[in-house]
Amino acid sequence: MVSFLITLQRLLKGIFHAFKDPKFLALFTLTAATLLSGTLFYTRVEGLHWIDALYFCAVTLTTVGHPEFVPTTGFGKAFTVIYMFAGIGLTFAMIARITAGILFPRKLQTEENPE
């Protein structure tokens, strides 16, 4: 339990440092917009409940995958292919900036202010 709390503290600290980074804010905004657009699409086209659609989008963008849901329409399958190519890079870039905030918080600060 102590290990979990220490890890959680490091994660929250990394996210705090990352939010000070303008590059992270741009990636965060684009990733949130990607999740929102995917959620709306799967809700309307595939008929998923909004929480199921959001969950499917999150597991798709993190490349975890969903064992039970597969888009049923041709349009849904085509959208999913484009969605993966567009969103996976954004998601991993955002995760990389959080990791940089955890491991190298001072380096992010010097990137922001190269004085």
Side-chain angles (χ1 to χ4, degrees), residues 20-98:
K20 294 179 181 178
D21 178 17
K23 293 176 186 174
F24 173 79
L25 289 175
L27 289 167
F28 179 80
T29 302
L30 289 171
T31 302
T34 303
L35 283 170
L36 178 62
S37 66
T39 301
L40 291 173
F41 176 85
Y42 292 114
T43 300
R44 296 214 170 116
V45 174
E46 295 291 330
L48 293 179
H49 187 268
W50 71 269
I51 194 71
D52 294 328
L54 177 62
Y55 177 76
F56 178 72
C57 291
V59 298
T60 299
L61 292 182
T62 56
T63 69
V64 171
H66 193 284
E68 297 172 15
F69 176 73
V70 176
T72 55
T73 65
F75 186 45
K77 291 174 183 178
F79 176 83
T80 302
V81 170
I82 295 167
Y83 185 75
M84 286 186 285
F85 282 115
I88 289 172
L90 285 172
T91 304
F92 282 115
M94 185 185 73
I95 292 169
R97 295 309 280 191
I98 293 172

